[in-house]
Coordinates of all heavy atoms in Angstrom, one line a residue:
M7 N -67.3 127.7 107.2 CA -67.1 126.8 106.1 C -68.3 126.8 105.2 O -69.4 126.9 105.6 CB -66.8 125.4 106.7 CG -66.2 124.4 105.7 SD -64.6 124.6 105.0 CE -63.5 124.7 106.4
L8 N -68.0 126.7 103.9 CA -69.1 126.7 102.9 C -69.9 125.4 102.9 O -69.3 124.4 103.3 CB -68.5 126.9 101.5 CG -67.8 128.2 101.2 CD1 -67.1 128.2 99.9 CD2 -68.8 129.3 101.2
P9 N -71.1 125.5 102.4 CA -71.9 124.2 102.3 C -71.2 123.2 101.4 O -70.6 123.6 100.4 CB -73.2 124.7 101.7 CG -73.3 126.1 101.9 CD -71.9 126.6 102.0
G10 N -71.2 122.0 101.8 CA -70.5 120.9 101.0 C -69.1 120.7 101.4 O -68.5 119.7 100.9
L11 N -68.5 121.6 102.2 CA -67.1 121.5 102.5 C -66.9 121.0 104.0 O -67.7 121.5 104.8 CB -66.3 122.8 102.4 CG -66.2 123.4 100.9 CD1 -65.4 124.7 101.0 CD2 -65.6 122.4 100.0
E12 N -66.0 120.2 104.2 CA -65.7 119.7 105.6 C -64.2 120.1 105.9 O -63.4 119.9 105.0 CB -65.8 118.2 105.7 CG -67.2 117.6 105.3 CD -67.1 116.1 105.2 OE1 -66.3 115.5 105.9 OE2 -67.9 115.6 104.4
P13 N -63.9 120.6 107.1 CA -62.5 120.8 107.4 C -61.7 119.5 107.3 O -62.3 118.4 107.6 CB -62.6 121.3 108.9 CG -64.0 121.7 109.1 CD -64.8 120.9 108.2
A14 N -60.5 119.6 106.9 CA -59.7 118.4 106.7 C -58.2 118.7 106.8 O -57.8 119.8 106.7 CB -60.0 117.8 105.3
E15 N -57.4 117.6 107.0 CA -56.0 117.8 107.0 C -55.5 117.4 105.5 O -56.0 116.4 105.0 CB -55.4 116.8 107.9 CG -55.6 117.1 109.4 CD -54.8 118.3 109.8 OE1 -53.6 118.5 109.4 OE2 -55.3 119.1 110.6
L16 N -54.6 118.2 105.0 CA -54.1 117.9 103.7 C -53.2 116.7 103.7 O -52.3 116.7 104.6 CB -53.3 119.2 103.1 CG -52.9 119.1 101.7 CD1 -54.1 119.1 100.8 CD2 -52.1 120.4 101.4
P17 N -53.4 115.7 102.9 CA -52.5 114.5 103.0 C -51.0 114.9 102.7 O -50.8 115.9 101.9 CB -53.0 113.6 101.8 CG -54.5 114.1 101.7 CD -54.5 115.5 102.0
A18 N -50.1 114.2 103.3 CA -48.7 114.6 103.1 C -48.2 114.4 101.7 O -47.3 115.1 101.2 CB -47.8 113.7 104.0
D19 N -48.8 113.5 100.9 CA -48.4 113.3 99.5 C -49.2 114.1 98.5 O -49.2 113.8 97.3 CB -48.4 111.8 99.2 CG -49.8 111.2 99.3 OD1 -50.7 111.9 99.9 OD2 -50.0 110.1 98.8
A20 N -50.0 115.1 98.9 CA -50.9 115.8 98.0 C -50.1 116.7 97.0 O -49.1 117.3 97.4 CB -51.8 116.7 98.8
I21 N -50.6 116.7 95.8 CA -50.1 117.6 94.8 C -51.2 118.4 94.2 O -52.4 117.9 94.1 CB -49.3 116.9 93.7 CG1 -50.2 115.8 93.0 CG2 -48.0 116.2 94.3 CD1 -49.5 115.3 91.8
E22 N -51.0 119.6 93.8 CA -52.1 120.4 93.1 C -52.3 119.9 91.7 O -51.4 119.8 90.9 CB -51.7 121.9 93.1 CG -52.8 122.8 92.7 CD -52.5 124.2 92.9 OE1 -51.9 124.6 93.9 OE2 -52.9 125.0 92.0
V23 N -53.6 119.5 91.4 CA -53.9 119.0 90.1 C -54.8 119.9 89.3 O -55.1 119.6 88.1 CB -54.6 117.6 90.2 CG1 -53.6 116.6 90.8 CG2 -55.8 117.6 91.1
G24 N -55.3 121.0 89.9 CA -56.2 121.9 89.1 C -56.8 122.9 90.0 O -56.4 123.1 91.2
R25 N -57.8 123.6 89.5 CA -58.5 124.6 90.3 C -59.9 124.7 89.8 O -60.2 124.4 88.6 CB -57.8 126.0 90.3 CG -57.8 126.7 89.1 CD -57.1 128.1 89.2 NE -57.0 128.7 88.0 CZ -58.0 129.5 87.5 NH1 -59.1 129.7 88.1 NH2 -57.8 130.1 86.3
I26 N -60.8 125.2 90.6 CA -62.2 125.4 90.2 C -62.3 126.7 89.5 O -61.9 127.8 90.0 CB -63.2 125.3 91.4 CG1 -63.1 123.9 92.0 CG2 -64.6 125.6 91.0 CD1 -63.9 123.7 93.2
A27 N -62.8 126.7 88.2 CA -62.9 127.9 87.4 C -64.1 128.7 87.6 O -64.1 129.9 87.8 CB -62.7 127.5 85.9
D28 N -65.3 128.0 87.6 CA -66.6 128.7 87.7 C -67.7 127.7 87.8 O -67.5 126.5 87.7 CB -66.7 129.5 86.4 CG -67.7 130.7 86.6 OD1 -68.2 130.9 87.6 OD2 -67.8 131.5 85.6
A29 N -68.9 128.3 88.0 CA -70.1 127.4 88.1 C -70.4 127.0 86.6 O -70.0 127.6 85.6 CB -71.3 128.2 88.6
W30 N -71.1 125.9 86.5 CA -71.5 125.3 85.2 C -73.0 124.9 85.4 O -73.3 123.9 86.0 CB -70.6 124.1 84.9 CG -70.8 123.6 83.5 CD1 -70.4 124.2 82.3 CD2 -71.4 122.3 83.1 NE1 -70.7 123.4 81.3 CE2 -71.3 122.2 81.7 CE3 -72.0 121.3 83.8 CZ2 -71.8 121.1 81.0 CZ3 -72.4 120.2 83.1 CH2 -72.4 120.1 81.8
G31 N -73.9 125.7 84.8 CA -75.3 125.4 84.9 C -75.9 126.0 86.2 O -75.2 126.8 86.9
I32 N -77.1 125.5 86.6 CA -77.8 126.1 87.7 C -77.9 125.1 88.9 O -78.5 125.4 89.9 CB -79.2 126.6 87.3 CG1 -80.1 125.5 86.8 CG2 -79.1 127.7 86.3 CD1 -81.5 125.8 86.6
K33 N -77.5 123.8 88.7 CA -77.7 122.8 89.7 C -76.5 122.5 90.6 O -76.4 121.4 91.2 CB -78.3 121.6 89.1 CG -79.6 121.8 88.5 CD -80.2 120.5 87.9 CE -81.6 120.8 87.4 NZ -82.2 119.6 86.9
G34 N -75.5 123.4 90.6 CA -74.4 123.2 91.5 C -73.1 122.6 90.9 O -72.1 122.4 91.5
W35 N -73.2 122.3 89.6 CA -72.0 121.8 88.9 C -71.0 122.9 88.7 O -71.4 124.1 88.7 CB -72.4 121.3 87.5 CG -73.1 120.0 87.5 CD1 -74.4 119.8 87.9 CD2 -72.6 118.7 87.2 NE1 -74.8 118.5 87.8 CE2 -73.6 117.8 87.4 CE3 -71.4 118.2 86.8 CZ2 -73.5 116.4 87.2 CZ3 -71.2 116.9 86.6 CH2 -72.2 116.0 86.8
F36 N -69.7 122.6 88.6 CA -68.7 123.6 88.5 C -67.6 123.1 87.5 O -67.4 121.9 87.3 CB -68.0 124.0 89.8 CG -67.7 122.8 90.7 CD1 -66.4 122.2 90.6 CD2 -68.6 122.3 91.6 CE1 -66.1 121.1 91.3 CE2 -68.2 121.2 92.4 CZ -67.0 120.6 92.3
K37 N -67.0 124.1 86.8 CA -65.9 123.8 85.9 C -64.6 123.6 86.6 O -64.3 124.4 87.5 CB -65.8 124.9 84.8 CG -66.9 125.0 83.9 CD -66.6 126.2 82.9 CE -67.8 126.6 82.1 NZ -67.5 127.7 81.3
V38 N -63.8 122.7 86.2 CA -62.4 122.5 86.7 C -61.4 122.7 85.7 O -61.5 122.1 84.6 CB -62.3 121.1 87.3 CG1 -60.9 120.8 87.9 CG2 -63.4 120.8 88.4
L39 N -60.4 123.5 86.0 CA -59.2 123.6 85.1 C -58.2 122.7 85.6 O -57.5 123.0 86.6 CB -58.7 125.1 85.1 CG -59.7 126.1 84.5 CD1 -59.1 127.5 84.6 CD2 -60.0 125.8 83.0
A40 N -58.0 121.6 84.9 CA -57.0 120.6 85.3 C -55.6 121.1 84.8 O -55.5 121.6 83.7 CB -57.3 119.2 84.6
H41 N -54.6 120.8 85.6 CA -53.2 121.2 85.2 C -52.7 120.2 84.2 O -51.7 120.4 83.6 CB -52.3 121.2 86.5 CG -52.7 122.3 87.4 ND1 -53.2 123.6 87.0 CD2 -52.5 122.4 88.7 CE1 -53.4 124.3 88.1 NE2 -53.0 123.7 89.1
S42 N -53.3 119.0 84.1 CA -52.8 118.0 83.2 C -53.7 117.9 82.0 O -54.9 118.1 82.1 CB -52.8 116.6 83.9 OG -52.6 115.6 83.0
A43 N -53.2 117.5 80.8 CA -54.0 117.3 79.6 C -54.8 116.0 79.8 O -55.8 115.9 79.1 CB -53.1 117.2 78.4
S44 N -54.4 115.1 80.7 CA -55.2 113.9 80.9 C -55.7 113.9 82.4 O -55.1 113.6 83.3 CB -54.3 112.7 80.8 OG -53.7 112.7 79.5
P45 N -57.0 114.4 82.5 CA -57.5 114.6 83.9 C -58.1 113.3 84.5 O -59.0 113.4 85.4 CB -58.6 115.6 83.7 CG -59.1 115.3 82.3 CD -57.9 114.9 81.5
E46 N -57.6 112.1 84.2 CA -58.2 110.9 84.7 C -58.1 110.8 86.2 O -59.0 110.2 86.9 CB -57.5 109.7 84.1 CG -57.9 109.4 82.7 CD -57.2 110.2 81.7 OE1 -56.1 110.8 82.0 OE2 -57.7 110.4 80.6
A47 N -57.1 111.4 86.8 CA -57.0 111.4 88.3 C -58.2 112.0 88.9 O -58.6 111.6 90.0 CB -55.7 112.0 88.7
L48 N -58.7 113.1 88.3 CA -59.8 113.8 88.9 C -61.1 112.8 88.8 O -61.9 112.9 89.7 CB -60.1 115.0 88.1 CG -59.1 116.2 88.2 CD1 -59.4 117.3 87.2 CD2 -59.1 116.7 89.6
F49 N -61.2 112.0 87.8 CA -62.4 111.2 87.7 C -62.3 110.0 88.6 O -63.4 109.5 89.0 CB -62.5 110.7 86.2 CG -62.6 111.8 85.2 CD1 -61.9 111.7 84.1 CD2 -63.5 112.8 85.4 CE1 -62.0 112.7 83.1 CE2 -63.6 113.8 84.5 CZ -62.8 113.8 83.3
S50 N -61.2 109.5 89.0 CA -61.0 108.4 89.8 C -61.2 108.6 91.3 O -61.5 107.7 92.1 CB -59.7 107.7 89.6 OG -58.6 108.5 90.0
S51 N -61.1 109.9 91.7 CA -61.2 110.2 93.2 C -62.5 110.8 93.5 O -63.0 111.7 92.8 CB -60.1 111.2 93.5 OG -60.2 111.6 94.9
K52 N -63.1 110.3 94.6 CA -64.4 110.8 95.0 C -64.2 111.8 96.2 O -65.2 112.4 96.7 CB -65.3 109.7 95.5 CG -65.7 108.8 94.3 CD -66.5 109.6 93.2 CE -66.8 108.7 92.0 NZ -67.3 109.5 90.9
R53 N -63.0 112.0 96.6 CA -62.7 113.0 97.7 C -61.6 114.0 97.1 O -60.5 113.5 96.8 CB -62.2 112.3 98.9 CG -63.3 111.5 99.6 CD -62.7 110.8 100.8 NE -61.6 110.0 100.5 CZ -60.6 109.7 101.3 NH1 -60.6 110.1 102.5 NH2 -59.6 108.9 100.9
W54 N -62.0 115.2 97.0 CA -61.0 116.2 96.6 C -60.7 117.1 97.8 O -61.6 117.6 98.5 CB -61.6 117.1 95.5 CG -61.8 116.3 94.2 CD1 -61.5 115.0 93.9 CD2 -62.4 116.8 93.0 NE1 -61.9 114.7 92.6 CE2 -62.4 115.8 92.0 CE3 -62.9 118.1 92.6 CZ2 -62.9 116.0 90.7 CZ3 -63.4 118.3 91.3 CH2 -63.4 117.2 90.4
Y55 N -59.4 117.5 97.9 CA -59.0 118.4 99.0 C -58.8 119.7 98.3 O -58.2 119.9 97.3 CB -57.7 117.9 99.6 CG -57.9 116.6 100.4 CD1 -57.8 115.4 99.8 CD2 -58.3 116.7 101.7 CE1 -58.0 114.2 100.5 CE2 -58.5 115.5 102.5 CZ -58.3 114.3 101.8 OH -58.6 113.1 102.5
L56 N -59.5 120.7 98.9 CA -59.4 122.1 98.4 C -58.6 123.0 99.3 O -58.7 122.9 100.5 CB -60.8 122.7 98.2 CG -61.8 121.9 97.4 CD1 -63.2 122.7 97.3 CD2 -61.3 121.8 96.0
Q57 N -58.0 124.0 98.7 CA -57.3 125.0 99.4 C -57.8 126.3 98.8 O -58.2 126.4 97.6 CB -55.8 124.9 99.4 CG -55.4 123.7 100.1 CD -53.9 123.7 100.5 OE1 -53.1 123.9 99.6 NE2 -53.7 123.7 101.8
P58 N -57.9 127.4 99.6 CA -58.4 128.7 99.1 C -57.6 129.2 97.9 O -56.4 128.9 97.7 CB -58.3 129.6 100.3 CG -57.9 128.8 101.4 CD -57.4 127.5 101.0
S59 N -58.3 130.0 97.1 CA -57.7 130.7 96.0 C -56.5 131.5 96.5 O -56.5 132.1 97.6 CB -58.7 131.6 95.3 OG -58.1 132.4 94.4
E60 N -55.4 131.6 95.6 CA -54.3 132.4 96.0 C -54.6 133.9 95.7 O -54.0 134.8 96.2 CB -53.1 132.0 95.2 CG -52.6 130.6 95.6 CD -51.4 130.2 94.8 OE1 -51.3 130.5 93.6 OE2 -50.6 129.4 95.4
R61 N -55.5 134.2 94.8 CA -55.9 135.5 94.4 C -57.4 135.7 94.6 O -58.2 134.8 94.6 CB -55.6 135.8 93.0 CG -54.1 135.8 92.7 CD -53.8 136.0 91.2 NE -53.8 134.6 90.6 CZ -53.8 134.4 89.4 NH1 -53.9 135.4 88.5 NH2 -53.7 133.2 88.9
G62 N -57.8 137.0 94.8 CA -59.2 137.3 94.9 C -59.8 137.0 96.2 O -59.1 136.7 97.2
A63 N -61.1 137.0 96.3 CA -61.8 136.7 97.5 C -61.7 135.3 98.0 O -61.7 134.4 97.2 CB -63.3 137.1 97.4
K64 N -61.4 135.2 99.3 CA -61.3 133.8 99.9 C -62.6 133.5 100.6 O -63.0 134.2 101.6 CB -60.1 133.8 100.9 CG -58.8 134.0 100.1 CD -57.6 133.8 101.0 CE -56.3 133.9 100.3 NZ -56.2 134.5 99.1
T65 N -63.3 132.5 100.2 CA -64.6 132.2 100.7 C -64.5 131.1 101.8 O -65.5 130.8 102.5 CB -65.6 131.7 99.6 OG1 -65.0 130.6 98.9 CG2 -65.9 132.8 98.7
F66 N -63.3 130.5 102.0 CA -63.0 129.6 103.1 C -61.5 129.7 103.4 O -60.8 130.2 102.7 CB -63.5 128.2 102.8 CG -62.7 127.5 101.7 CD1 -61.7 126.7 102.0 CD2 -63.0 127.7 100.4 CE1 -61.0 126.0 101.0 CE2 -62.3 127.1 99.3 CZ -61.3 126.2 99.7
S67 N -61.1 129.1 104.6 CA -59.7 129.1 104.9 C -59.3 127.7 105.3 O -60.1 126.8 105.5 CB -59.5 130.0 106.1 OG -60.2 129.6 107.2
G68 N -58.0 127.4 105.3 CA -57.5 126.1 105.6 C -57.8 125.1 104.5 O -58.0 125.5 103.3
T69 N -57.7 123.9 104.8 CA -58.0 122.8 103.8 C -59.4 122.2 104.1 O -59.8 122.1 105.2 CB -56.9 121.7 104.0 OG1 -55.6 122.2 103.8 CG2 -57.2 120.5 103.0
A70 N -60.1 122.0 103.0 CA -61.4 121.5 103.0 C -61.6 120.2 102.2 O -60.9 120.1 101.2 CB -62.4 122.5 102.6
L71 N -62.4 119.3 102.6 CA -62.7 118.1 101.9 C -64.0 118.3 101.1 O -65.0 118.7 101.7 CB -62.8 116.9 102.8 CG -63.2 115.6 102.2 CD1 -62.1 115.1 101.3 CD2 -63.4 114.5 103.3
L72 N -64.0 118.0 99.9 CA -65.2 118.1 99.0 C -65.5 116.7 98.5 O -64.6 116.0 97.9 CB -64.9 119.0 97.8 CG -66.0 119.3 96.9 CD1 -67.1 120.1 97.6 CD2 -65.5 120.1 95.7
R73 N -66.7 116.2 98.8 CA -67.1 114.8 98.4 C -67.7 114.9 97.0 O -68.8 115.4 96.9 CB -68.0 114.2 99.4 CG -67.2 114.0 100.7 CD -68.1 113.2 101.7 NE -67.4 113.2 103.0 CZ -66.5 112.4 103.4 NH1 -66.0 111.5 102.5 NH2 -65.9 112.5 104.6
V74 N -67.0 114.4 96.0 CA -67.5 114.5 94.6 C -68.5 113.4 94.3 O -68.3 112.2 94.6 CB -66.3 114.4 93.7 CG1 -66.7 114.4 92.2 CG2 -65.3 115.5 94.0
R75 N -69.7 113.8 93.8 CA -70.7 112.8 93.4 C -70.4 112.3 92.0 O -70.5 111.2 91.7 CB -72.1 113.5 93.3 CG -72.6 113.8 94.7 CD -74.0 114.5 94.5 NE -74.5 114.8 95.8 CZ -75.5 115.6 96.0 NH1 -76.0 116.3 95.0 NH2 -75.9 115.9 97.2
E76 N -70.0 113.2 91.1 CA -69.7 112.9 89.7 C -68.8 113.9 89.1 O -68.9 115.1 89.3 CB -71.0 112.9 88.9 CG -70.9 112.4 87.5 CD -72.3 112.3 86.8 OE1 -73.3 112.6 87.4 OE2 -72.3 112.0 85.6
A77 N -67.9 113.4 88.2 CA -67.0 114.3 87.4 C -67.0 113.7 86.0 O -67.0 112.5 85.8 CB -65.6 114.3 88.0
K78 N -67.1 114.6 85.0 CA -67.1 114.1 83.6 C -66.5 115.2 82.7 O -66.1 116.3 83.2 CB -68.6 113.9 83.2 CG -69.5 115.0 83.3 CD -70.9 114.6 83.0 CE -71.9 115.8 83.1 NZ -73.3 115.4 82.8
E79 N -66.3 114.8 81.5 CA -65.6 115.7 80.5 C -66.5 115.9 79.3 O -66.2 115.3 78.3 CB -64.3 115.1 80.2 CG -63.4 116.0 79.4 CD -62.0 115.4 79.2 OE1 -61.8 114.2 79.4 OE2 -61.1 116.1 78.8
P80 N -67.5 116.8 79.3 CA -68.3 117.0 78.1 C -67.5 118.0 77.2 O -67.1 119.1 77.7 CB -69.5 117.7 78.6 CG -69.1 118.3 79.9 CD -68.0 117.5 80.5
S81 N -67.2 117.6 76.1 CA -66.3 118.3 75.1 C -64.9 118.6 75.7 O -64.3 117.6 76.2 CB -67.0 119.6 74.7 OG -67.1 120.6 75.7
D82 N -64.5 119.8 75.8 CA -63.1 120.0 76.3 C -63.0 120.6 77.7 O -62.0 121.1 78.1 CB -62.4 121.0 75.3 CG -63.1 122.4 75.3 OD1 -64.2 122.5 75.8 OD2 -62.5 123.3 74.7
T83 N -64.0 120.4 78.5 CA -64.1 121.0 79.8 C -64.4 119.9 80.8 O -65.2 119.0 80.6 CB -65.2 122.0 79.9 OG1 -64.9 123.1 79.0 CG2 -65.3 122.6 81.3
V84 N -63.7 119.9 82.0 CA -64.0 119.0 83.1 C -65.0 119.7 84.0 O -64.8 120.8 84.3 CB -62.7 118.6 83.9 CG1 -63.1 117.8 85.1 CG2 -61.7 117.9 83.0
V85 N -66.1 119.0 84.3 CA -67.1 119.5 85.2 C -67.3 118.5 86.3 O -67.1 117.3 86.1 CB -68.4 119.9 84.5 CG1 -68.2 121.0 83.5 CG2 -69.0 118.7 83.8
A86 N -67.8 119.0 87.4 CA -68.0 118.1 88.6 C -69.2 118.6 89.4 O -69.6 119.7 89.3 CB -66.8 118.0 89.4
H87 N -69.8 117.6 90.1 CA -70.9 117.9 91.0 C -70.5 117.3 92.4 O -70.0 116.2 92.4 CB -72.2 117.4 90.5 CG -73.4 117.8 91.2 ND1 -74.3 116.9 91.7 CD2 -73.8 119.0 91.5 CE1 -75.2 117.6 92.3 NE2 -75.0 118.9 92.2
A88 N -70.7 118.0 93.5 CA -70.3 117.5 94.8 C -71.4 117.6 95.8 O -72.4 118.3 95.6 CB -69.1 118.3 95.3
Q89 N -71.3 116.7 96.8 CA -72.3 116.7 97.9 C -72.4 118.0 98.6 O -71.4 118.6 98.9 CB -71.8 115.6 98.9 CG -72.7 115.4 100.0 CD -72.1 114.3 100.9 OE1 -71.6 113.3 100.5 NE2 -72.3 114.4 102.2
G90 N -73.6 118.5 98.8 CA -73.8 119.8 99.4 C -73.7 121.0 98.6 O -73.9 122.1 99.0
V91 N -73.3 120.8 97.3 CA -73.2 121.9 96.4 C -74.3 121.7 95.4 O -74.1 121.1 94.3 CB -71.8 122.0 95.7 CG1 -71.7 123.2 94.8 CG2 -70.7 122.0 96.7
D92 N -75.5 122.3 95.7 CA -76.7 122.0 94.9 C -77.3 123.1 94.2 O -78.4 123.1 93.7 CB -77.7 121.3 95.8 CG -77.2 120.0 96.4 OD1 -76.6 119.2 95.6 OD2 -77.5 119.7 97.6
A93 N -76.6 124.3 94.2 CA -77.1 125.5 93.5 C -75.9 126.2 92.9 O -74.8 126.1 93.3 CB -77.8 126.4 94.5
R94 N -76.3 127.0 91.9 CA -75.2 127.8 91.2 C -74.4 128.7 92.2 O -73.2 128.8 92.1 CB -75.9 128.6 90.1 CG -74.8 129.4 89.3 CD -75.4 130.1 88.1 NE -74.4 130.8 87.4 CZ -73.7 130.3 86.4 NH1 -73.9 129.0 86.0 NH2 -72.8 131.0 85.7
A95 N -75.1 129.3 93.1 CA -74.4 130.2 94.1 C -73.4 129.5 94.9 O -72.3 130.0 95.1 CB -75.4 130.9 95.0
A96 N -73.7 128.2 95.3 CA -72.7 127.4 96.0 C -71.5 127.1 95.2 O -70.4 127.1 95.6 CB -73.4 126.2 96.6
A97 N -71.7 126.8 93.9 CA -70.6 126.5 93.0 C -69.8 127.7 92.7 O -68.6 127.6 92.7 CB -71.2 125.9 91.7
E98 N -70.4 128.9 92.6 CA -69.7 130.1 92.4 C -68.8 130.4 93.6 O -67.8 131.0 93.4 CB -70.7 131.3 92.1 CG -71.3 131.2 90.7 CD -72.4 132.2 90.5 OE1 -72.9 132.8 91.5 OE2 -72.7 132.5 89.3
A99 N -69.2 130.1 94.8 CA -68.4 130.4 96.0 C -67.1 129.6 96.0 O -66.2 129.9 96.7 CB -69.3 130.1 97.2
L100 N -67.1 128.5 95.2 CA -65.8 127.7 95.1 C -64.8 128.2 94.1 O -63.7 127.7 94.0 CB -66.2 126.2 94.8 CG -67.1 125.5 95.8 CD1 -67.4 124.1 95.3 CD2 -66.4 125.4 97.1
R101 N -65.2 129.2 93.3 CA -64.4 129.7 92.3 C -63.0 130.1 92.8 O -62.8 130.7 93.8 CB -65.0 131.0 91.7 CG -64.3 131.5 90.5 CD -64.9 132.8 89.9 NE -66.3 132.5 89.5 CZ -67.3 133.3 89.8 NH1 -67.1 134.4 90.5 NH2 -68.5 133.1 89.4
G102 N -62.0 129.6 92.1 CA -60.6 129.8 92.4 C -59.9 128.8 93.4 O -58.7 128.8 93.5
A103 N -60.8 128.0 94.0 CA -60.2 127.0 95.0 C -59.2 126.1 94.2 O -59.5 125.7 93.1 CB -61.3 126.2 95.6
R104 N -58.2 125.7 94.9 CA -57.1 124.9 94.3 C -57.4 123.4 94.7 O -57.7 123.1 95.9 CB -55.8 125.3 94.8 CG -55.5 126.7 94.3 CD -54.2 127.3 94.8 NE -54.3 127.5 96.3 CZ -53.4 127.2 97.2 NH1 -52.2 126.8 96.8 NH2 -53.6 127.5 98.5
L105 N -57.3 122.5 93.8 CA -57.4 121.1 94.0 C -56.1 120.4 94.2 O -55.2 120.5 93.5 CB -58.1 120.4 92.9 CG -59.5 120.9 92.4 CD1 -59.9 120.3 91.1 CD2 -60.5 120.6 93.5

């Protein structure tokens, strides 16, 4: 399991709300592509459940819990920072994960 991720059970009422696009900066922040034009649900939750990318390299398997420290929307992009994801390389490893 990657740093910052904990194994978890996917809640029965979970719906996919976005995916992690890429790293943002050098301190572990990452860009999120929200499926909704109004990403308020992402800002209100401090626990995000991730599933591996459907395409490309899979850096983890199963469902993982990511504890979000902060999420914000500078300009037209949603970015977030999570516990245990403190460097660009850790954020890049999350690329493609589904929220």
